[in-house]
Amino acid sequence: MQNALPARLLRVLAPVAVLACSCVKDISSDERLERETSTGPVGKALDAEALAKVSCADVQRELAMARSDSKPEADRVLAYVALFQSLKDRTQTFEGAMARNPDLAYQDGSQALVAAKDVCVQQTADVRVEFERYVRELVDVPTVQEIKGGSMVTVARLDFDTLRQAIEALSPDDKDHLMGRVAAAEKKVEVRHEGKRRGK
């Protein structure tokens, strides 16, 4: 009698196990590459003619906007975010197209495509270094002193959500640590403001 119950369970569970196993489909490396390069706005594979129109060479205007000391810091940060994301997208366009069609790197005119891709890779890396240096500076010194109503008050250098957006865009290894520091700075500003309101 004791052996009957396990036997019944085995008869019931065996078809379920077979069904569960039959639902798992092995994904080939080609299918995985297709899935990875076909997701998102830059997933569309381009041919050589379309790829030749993608360029990262002319970014000086956008970079000048991000570097401009005359602009509010939030505008500078958002300019860096937009430029960095655009360069990343263009680099991924090259890399995705060449991964899906390796012949692009070896056919007529391939040298120009490879050179254009290399420019995108380098520009993305250079802008990332500059952008990250600026963001870390903002995280290190997130507030400034301003005179309001005849007294000195502590205010944020820029909207904290904008700073978080920049950290998300960069996604550095210590992202969580940076986010924590931003949250702590935001809390200090809120506490100071709350204290002044109560003092009145």
Side-chain angles (χ1 to χ4, degrees), residues 85-157:
Q85 190 59 58
S86 176
L87 287 169
K88 277 179 60 180
D89 288 348
R90 282 177 267 180
T91 299
Q92 289 169 10
T93 296
F94 274 112
E95 292 176 343
M98 290 180 174
R100 294 172 71 177
N101 183 6
D103 290 340
L104 286 171
Y106 303 103
Q107 63 190 27
D108 290 341
S110 63
Q111 289 182 342
L113 292 180
V114 172
K117 185 199 80 168
D118 290 345
V119 168
C120 280
V121 171
Q122 189 60 53
Q123 289 278 40
T124 302
D126 291 346
V127 169
R128 180 189 176 89
V129 169
E130 188 174 315
F131 180 25
E132 185 168 352
R133 186 185 303 123
Y134 182 42
V135 168
R136 289 183 182 279
E137 175 197 324
L138 292 169
V139 172
D140 287 341
V141 188
T143 61
V144 293
Q145 297 290 316
E146 289 186 358
I147 297 177
K148 288 187 177 181
S151 61
M152 196 72 75
V153 296
T154 301
V155 298
R157 285 176 67 174

Side-chain angles (χ1 to χ4, degrees), residues 55-66:
S55 173
C56 298
D58 186 17
V59 298
Q60 294 310 308
R61 186 178 65 85
E62 293 90 342
L63 203 50
M65 289 175 59

